[in-house]
Amino acid sequence: MLSGVVLAGGTNRLINGELKALLSFGGQPMIARQLDRMREICDELIVVTQDPTPFLNIVNRSVRIITDFYEGQGPLGGMHAALSLAKHASVWVVGCDMPFISNKAAELLLERKRDGFEAVVPMVAGERYPLHGIYDRTCASHIVPLLQQGETQLSSLLKHIFWGERDDRYLCENGVDLNFVSSIKTFDDYEVMQRLEVFKSNQAG
């Protein structure tokens, strides 16, 4: 059993002011695309956002839309809310600006978590990606003191929990496209990833 979470809080806007989560990608709003993919392996779906209004007509009614317990505390605050309210012990957390999230990668991370880790994150090109990680919901208890110390980045949580990784070699050997960790930070990123999506679609066709 797995809960899937999309962190859509904070500003999450490109230079034109548009919400990243609502950008059109592959013919649908990006967050709808993410949730459709997560629904294939998750029994529960959660969106964390400061303002639920823009999402009410976008996401399925089965998706839980929640807000931060600690407002303005970045992705760590959003994760705290999600882990606190998740129904399942294992929680897959992604950012709303990640168009190529991978169910296969998530399943491989979850498999690794069963070895006794509190969290498992992907490691690609020597870099950890706390987003797209699988976390135990008990990690919420580690987050509160971090927020009280002014920490807002997910990477700070890894210093206080027992975590493992799946590296890029293992992921590739198991058929995972490493673009799954890509995220849209700028409008240029958005255009590049749209072209990649078209290429991938043509290859699949």
Side-chain angles (χ1 to χ4, degrees):
M1 307 290 275
L2 182 65
S3 295
V5 172
V6 180
L7 300 181
T11 54
N12 278 313
R13 297 178 186 273
L14 296 182
I15 54 175
N16 64 349
E18 187 172 357
L19 287 170
K20 292 181 184 179
L22 302 184
L23 289 172
S24 178
F25 206 97
Q28 62 184 146
M30 184 143 55
I31 196 166
R33 168 190 172 96
Q34 291 177 306
L35 292 169
D36 284 348
R37 190 160 297 176
M38 298 179 92
R39 188 173 286 110
E40 297 174 7
I41 63 169
C42 296
D43 305 285
E44 175 188 40
L45 295 173
I46 299 172
V47 172
V48 188
T49 178
Q50 303 274 5
D51 180 11
T53 305
F55 302 99
L56 295 178
N57 293 324
I58 300 294
V59 305
N60 187 283
R61 291 186 179 182
S62 64
V63 178
R64 299 171 63 194
I65 302 177
I66 67 173
T67 56
D68 295 348
F69 294 1
Y70 298 89
E71 292 186 13
Q73 297 300 308
L76 199 58
M79 181 184 284
H80 170 264
L83 296 179
S84 297
L85 297 177
K87 294 178 181 178
H88 301 308
S90 294
V91 185
W92 176 20
V93 182
V94 305
C96 68
D97 57 358
M98 304 175 74
F100 301 121
I101 61 172
S102 168
N103 289 348
K104 180 62 176 178
E107 288 173 332
L108 294 170
L109 296 170
L110 179 59
E111 178 183 68
R112 180 67 168 148
K113 178 179 177 287
R114 294 190 179 115
D115 291 335
F117 293 101
E118 292 177 280
V120 180
V121 302
M123 179 83 76
V124 177
E127 183 176 351
R128 295 190 304 256
Y129 286 85
L131 285 177
H132 209 296
I134 303 285
Y135 296 83
D136 196 275
R137 64 184 173 194
T138 57
C139 289
S141 63
H142 296 284
I143 295 177
V144 174
L146 294 174
L147 295 177
Q148 292 172 342
Q149 294 165 24
E151 295 283 358
T152 60
Q153 298 302 311
L154 301 188
S155 57
S156 63
L157 174 61
L158 299 182
K159 301 174 184 176
H160 300 274
I161 61 175
F162 181 51
W163 64 278
E165 66 186 50
R166 286 294 198 193
D167 64 21
D168 41 17
R169 179 177 178 180
Y170 184 88
L171 294 167
C172 284
E173 288 175 349
N174 284 274
V176 175
D177 182 341
L178 296 181
N179 285 306
F180 79 97
V181 295
S182 300
S183 59
I184 296 172
K185 304 303 182 188
T186 67
F187 201 80
D188 286 342
D189 292 341
Y190 177 44
E191 292 183 331
V192 168
M193 291 188 203
Q194 281 186 306
R195 289 195 293 270
L196 178 58
E197 171 66 9
V198 171
F199 175 78
K200 288 160 67 76
S201 297
N202 291 339
Q203 291 291 100

